[in-house]
Amino acid sequence: MSYGLMKKTTATVAAILCATASFANPYEKFEGTTLVVSWPALAHFSAAEALVDEFTEETGIEVEIDALQYLKLRDRQILEMSKPEGEYDVVSWVVMWKGEYVSKGLLTPLSQFFTSGSLVDPQYDIDDVAGAYLQNGGVVGGKKGYMPGVSGALYGIPFGAETSILAYRKDIFEEQGIEVPTTYDELAAVMTKLHDAGIPALTSRGKTGHQVTAGWLLHLAPLGGKIFDDEWNPVVNSPEAVKAAEFMRHVAKTGPVGIETFGFGEAAAAFLQGDAAMHLDTLKIAAMSRNPSLSKIDGKVGYALHPVGTRCGSETGGFAMGIPANAPNREAAFLFIQYLTNKAGDQRMVELGGDPVRISTLQNNTEGFDDYPIVAEQLPCADPDWRPLIPEWNEINIDVLGQALTQVITTDDPIQPIMDKANEELRAIMEREGYYTWATYRAAQ
Amino acid sequence: MPDAAEEIVPVAARRPWDLSMLGPYFFILPAVAVMLAGLVYPVIQAFYLSFYDWKIGTDFDDAPYVGLRHFIRMIGDEDVGESIWVTLKFGFWTISIEMLLGVSLALLLEKPIRGASVFRTIFILPLMVSPVVVGLIWRYLFDARIGWINYYLGQIGIEPQVWLGDADLAFFAIVFTDIWQWTPFIFIIVIAGLQALPSEVLEASKIDGANWWQHILYVKLPMIRSILLIALLMRLIDVFRALEVMYILTGGGPGRATELLSLHIYNRAFDTQQLGYASAISVLLIVIVFFLSYGILKMGNPLKEKADI
């Protein structure tokens, strides 16, 4: 064999070995890459930092985390994602922003990764991820623009997603001889009874803007209300919506002092510090109540299904993770998301004090997690359409409903006129944004 | 000795133009460039943007030109009107009380009495705290559930108040916080002015038999009038650009009870992504501040007085 032929053969063998090696380890190609991740400074994500370290150790892919207060994420992310070349490889968004992000072309559809044999883990099993979470956090398109449908596409995987359950103080309920409420009528009666006994009843978000709207929306769906009908006509002055607002006023009057100023953190803290008997909001309260640095009530909390009004309908919210359209390392970013949300990652999140997004994880971890069976039972009722995640939602949420509902809970003004005014303002926004253009056009014809 | 009249010769006549006369302009050029880049350019851009309907995250070239639509909308916008009213109310109460307190304390503490320097140091501490920290401190103090204010009120049998969740109480809270932070500013400026007053005039007024009250009202305060006007002007401008404390303390709520115009602009621009509309309101803000400043300066331009000297 000549020297030249030997050299060529050696090079070919080396190349084959390298190629074989890269097939053997899907991460090797990206070793030394640094991913920049934008996510919220919340308990679930703090817990995930240990899992991120494990990811780096196993894959050789470095990760830098840019954690911000969750309502501050949007400005930062939009600014970053609208540059020609962004810094972020992975962004975690509050589900209500997904429509806006996609309408502005800021996100990468995940189908291009899920069709790549070298990237997608055959054992990933996306069907195991709770459907309501996946639809609510990750899917954009469909009939309404934010729900599944043939025109929809997947842009994100839920991570830190949630539905709502009722958390209550077992000791207080026992002392007061109160049964756990299963309907809204029972819940209202329990709130009155606790208040009359001098015990702040149900904590809630109530701060002007997004927070008070979120508090009200939790009751709107089960009480049968909606924001829009099927033709995008606002219906926030319907009898159901007004009833939800009346319930919100009852919450403020019978709950802990200061509800009018509570965001999610303050509302949760009131429950965790023993200043409220009930918490009806995200399931995240369960992990928080087990955390001794946050909670004084560990071991005293019971969980129940979100009470039913005219129908069962708990919230779907929280966060999903996706990849910006201008991300520098999109394939490695996909591997990162996949690692955190696969079955092993989801199980690890449970061990680290986070919240799972997979049905199998909920079913496999019943011991020590009283909330998991409740969550598993609640999920079929979780409503991915409990609020309209259209690009205009932020303006509707903050500027219109967030103002009207503040008036509801901070004054004794009649509720119907407040909601009538909000309905008119909402219609003006939809008009301005062209939602009635087709209807007007057809009517003219 | 030369005649004084001969000494006054117009500079231009004495000194023909040469390159070295550009020296002063050369030295102020960096400052002018920074001013143009940091102040004039953004103002022009804001004005330009107010004619477009642009949302962050989209290409500006795709933003539709809307002409005067934002300005027309602004005229009929009750929320803008409410924010202006809140700002004016806030300015009236804070500036009045700060001026009164600041001037009074300066008059009391101008004399070298025992402990005055320690008190002065303590008194100006709030000025050194960043506005964000001020907002956080007072948010926790006013907190209805865990705040110290409610705790101590409870100790004397007063029911806890939802300081930041009631429209009137929240307005009181932002006024109180502003007074806490900015009274020392008036105090420092006024005390500096008082200590620089010529002692001959003060002694003369005493010899002429002026009592303590007349001494202050007819001698000291008129002599520091220009300083008081500068302080008033600076506080007025501050009121219209105040944002951080209110943003942290109340977020403008409950409702729009504490939403100053600057915070309203911020919320419109970043919460609801109406950048063009927010820019139009910014133009209004500039116009308001310009006319208020002009009005105060017309009352007696301290800079002009200085120039006359």
Side-chain angles (χ1 to χ4, degrees):
Chain A
M1 193 184 282
S2 69
Y3 174 72
L5 184 62
M6 213 168 84
K7 201 174 161 185
K8 271 185 187 171
T9 311
T10 312
T12 310
V13 170
I16 289 168
L17 280 173
C18 284
T20 312
S22 70
F23 279 120
N25 178 359
Y27 299 112
E28 190 175 11
K29 188 174 152 192
F30 306 102
E31 207 175 307
T33 305
T34 300
L35 296 176
V36 182
V37 177
S38 163
W39 72 23
L42 286 173
H44 174 85
F45 293 86
S46 305
E49 285 174 16
L51 184 57
V52 172
D53 292 343
E54 291 164 19
F55 170 77
T56 299
E57 201 176 314
E58 187 176 331
T59 65
I61 300 172
E62 300 287 334
V63 180
E64 279 177 21
I65 293 172
D66 183 15
L68 291 174
Q69 197 269 339
Y70 82 98
L71 287 176
K72 306 280 175 278
L73 278 176
R74 179 166 153 267
D75 293 348
R76 182 87 181 92
Q77 290 179 349
I78 288 182
L79 281 172
E80 205 54 56
M81 292 192 294
S82 51
K83 291 179 184 170
E85 283 181 29
E87 294 275 324
Y88 292 147
D89 296 294
V90 175
V91 289
S92 178
W93 59 79
V94 182
V95 297
M96 61 192 174
W97 305 334
K98 67 175 184 178
E100 183 191 355
Y101 283 14
V102 172
S103 74
K104 290 175 176 173
L106 304 176
L107 294 177
T108 308
L110 296 184
S111 53
Q112 59 187 274
F113 308 108
F114 276 111
T115 50
S116 164
S118 64
L119 290 173
V120 73
D121 177 354
Q123 294 180 359
Y124 183 70
D125 191 9
I126 198 162
D127 295 334
D128 184 38
V129 177
Y133 292 167
L134 201 64
Q135 291 165 16
N136 188 245
V139 174
V140 182
K143 191 183 171 195
K144 291 188 172 179
Y146 56 92
M147 291 285 289
V150 286
S151 60
L154 184 68
Y155 287 87
I157 303 291
F159 185 69
E162 64 190 38
T163 188
S164 51
I165 56 172
L166 176 70
Y168 63 95
R169 287 281 300 279
K170 288 188 286 191
D171 52 336
I172 294 176
F173 272 48
E174 205 175 301
E175 271 170 29
Q176 298 293 321
I178 295 172
E179 291 289 316
V180 179
T182 56
T183 66
Y184 262 80
D185 289 341
E186 288 173 14
L187 178 61
V190 166
M191 285 156 60
T192 306
K193 185 171 180 183
L194 285 166
H195 179 66
D196 292 347
I199 301 167
L202 176 66
T203 184
S204 171
R205 315 181 197 205
K207 188 178 178 182
T208 295
H210 161 72
Q211 301 291 356
V212 70
T213 308
W216 171 74
L217 283 167
L218 280 161
H219 314 304
L220 181 69
L223 289 170
K226 280 176 153 189
I227 305 291
F228 296 107
D229 66 12
D230 291 340
E231 306 297 324
W232 296 112
N233 295 303
V235 287
V236 297
N237 58 348
S238 68
E240 295 84 5
V242 171
K243 191 173 178 189
E246 282 166 356
F247 185 80
M248 200 57 199
R249 183 175 277 177
H250 189 49
V251 170
K253 285 189 187 298
T254 56
V257 63
I259 277 182
E260 300 86 344
T261 62
F262 286 0
F264 167 67
E266 291 85 359
F271 181 68
L272 297 171
Q273 298 300 307
D275 291 340
M278 291 182 286
H279 180 277
L280 178 58
D281 201 317
T282 166
L283 53 81
K284 291 184 192 310
I285 197 70
M288 292 165 89
S289 74
R290 286 188 285 267
N291 183 340
S293 65
L294 297 174
S295 165
K296 289 182 181 171
I297 55 169
D298 188 18
K300 297 178 181 171
V301 184
Y303 302 97
L305 295 174
H306 189 129
V308 175
T310 55
R311 67 185 181 97
C312 79
S314 55
E315 61 122 339
T316 43
F319 296 83
M321 275 194 298
I323 303 169
N326 63 358
N329 305 292
R330 295 196 287 177
E331 292 185 331
F334 175 77
L335 290 173
F336 174 81
I337 294 173
Q338 185 174 243
Y339 187 93
L340 264 60
T341 57
N342 65 20
K343 285 187 177 176
D346 208 43
Q347 176 61 37
R348 189 78 184 102
M349 281 308 301
V350 170
E351 292 156 18
L352 293 167
D355 299 308
V357 294
R358 287 176 170 273
I359 301 293
S360 63
T361 317
L362 288 168
Q363 288 168 343
N364 295 338
N365 292 278
T366 48
E367 207 166 306
F369 298 98
D370 298 347
D371 51 315
Y372 283 11
I374 301 295
V375 173
E377 197 180 338
Q378 185 70 60
L379 275 172
C381 263
D383 183 1
D385 194 17
W386 70 300
R387 58 183 166 184
L389 300 178
I390 54 178
E392 296 73 23
W393 175 242
N394 237 29
E395 186 180 352
I396 294 167
N397 180 27
I398 295 169
D399 253 10
V400 181
L401 295 173
Q403 292 293 329
L405 292 160
T406 290
Q407 197 182 344
V408 167
I409 66 166
T410 59
T411 69
D412 288 321
D413 297 348
I415 291 176
Q416 186 69 52
I418 298 172
M419 301 311 281
D420 285 344
K421 182 168 175 273
N423 211 60
E424 284 311 306
E425 289 175 10
L426 235 151
R427 177 174 286 283
I429 291 174
M430 301 304 276
E431 183 101 46
R432 190 188 74 207
E433 296 300 326
Y435 279 78
Y436 308 127
T437 306
W438 281 98
T440 313
Y441 171 67
R442 293 239 159 78
Q445 280 189 328
Chain B
M1 198 172 170
D3 191 327
E6 284 175 24
E7 285 293 296
I8 303 166
V9 178
V11 174
R14 196 174 54 183
R15 197 176 158 201
W17 189 88
D18 66 58
L19 203 60
S20 68
M21 288 173 73
L22 287 177
Y25 298 101
F26 177 76
F27 287 115
I28 63 162
L29 188 64
V32 171
V34 168
M35 279 276 285
L36 286 174
L39 194 70
V40 179
Y41 178 73
V43 168
I44 293 169
Q45 277 293 88
F47 193 64
Y48 181 64
L49 187 56
S50 64
F51 295 103
Y52 289 86
D53 188 13
W54 182 54
K55 294 186 168 93
I56 296 178
T58 59
D59 196 339
F60 184 73
D61 293 338
D62 297 336
Y65 174 77
V66 294
L68 291 172
R69 197 202 297 169
H70 289 322
F71 291 95
I72 294 164
R73 180 182 163 195
M74 186 171 71
I75 292 166
D77 191 336
E78 286 177 13
D79 296 339
V80 173
E82 197 177 335
S83 290
I84 293 173
W85 174 236
V86 170
T87 312
L88 291 175
K89 262 196 319 181
F90 175 75
F92 173 77
W93 286 111
T94 54
I95 296 175
S96 310
I97 297 172
E98 284 162 16
M99 291 296 284
L100 191 69
L101 277 178
V103 173
S104 307
L105 284 166
L107 287 167
L108 286 173
L109 292 172
E110 65 167 321
K111 295 254 170 61
I113 54 172
R114 187 188 292 270
S117 61
V118 176
F119 181 78
R120 273 181 228 157
T121 311
I122 294 171
F123 191 61
I124 62 170
L125 279 179
L127 262 189
M128 299 175 200
V129 184
S130 112
V132 173
V133 178
V134 170
L136 284 170
I137 290 170
W138 284 98
R139 194 173 84 181
Y140 286 111
L141 289 174
F142 280 121
D143 189 284
R145 198 173 60 83
I146 56 166
W148 280 15
I149 294 173
N150 270 357
Y151 172 77
Y152 286 113
L153 287 178
Q155 296 294 305
I156 55 169
I158 298 176
E159 287 286 302
Q161 304 293 314
V162 188
W163 293 100
L164 305 178
D166 174 273
D168 294 334
L169 291 178
F171 185 76
F172 167 80
I174 62 165
V175 169
F176 187 87
T177 305
D178 196 83
I179 290 168
W180 176 82
Q181 189 178 22
W182 289 105
T183 300
F185 172 74
I186 307 291
F187 169 76
I188 283 182
I189 287 192
V190 174
I191 206 163
L194 288 171
Q195 287 177 345
L197 290 180
S199 56
E200 299 85 359
V201 181
L202 302 177
E203 280 162 16
S205 75
K206 276 184 186 167
I207 291 164
D208 287 346
N211 62 25
W212 181 83
W213 187 242
Q214 288 170 326
H215 191 60
I216 288 169
L217 210 60
Y218 299 118
V219 181
K220 284 186 174 176
L221 289 182
M223 287 176 80
I224 59 164
R225 182 167 166 266
S226 57
I227 287 170
L228 292 175
L229 279 174
I230 285 184
L232 181 67
L233 184 63
M234 289 175 84
R235 286 301 301 131
L236 192 70
I237 293 168
D238 276 344
V239 161
F240 277 91
R241 67 178 188 84
L243 177 95
E244 304 97 322
V245 175
M246 272 41 93
Y247 180 73
I248 302 281
L249 197 60
T250 61
R256 298 196 192 279
T258 60
E259 194 178 63
L260 303 185
L261 191 56
S262 53
L263 187 55
H264 183 77
I265 292 169
Y266 174 86
N267 288 339
R268 281 283 156 103
F270 298 104
D271 271 355
T272 59
Q273 297 273 304
Q274 301 173 69
L275 280 163
Y277 187 48
S279 298
I281 309 174
S282 305
V283 172
L284 175 69
L285 176 68
I286 292 168
V287 171
I288 291 173
V289 172
F290 173 80
F291 278 107
L292 283 173
S293 308
Y294 182 74
I296 288 177
L297 289 175
K298 281 290 276 183
M299 285 161 61
N301 186 345
L303 301 173
K304 188 169 173 289
E305 283 172 21
K306 190 80 181 169
D308 288 346
I309 291 167

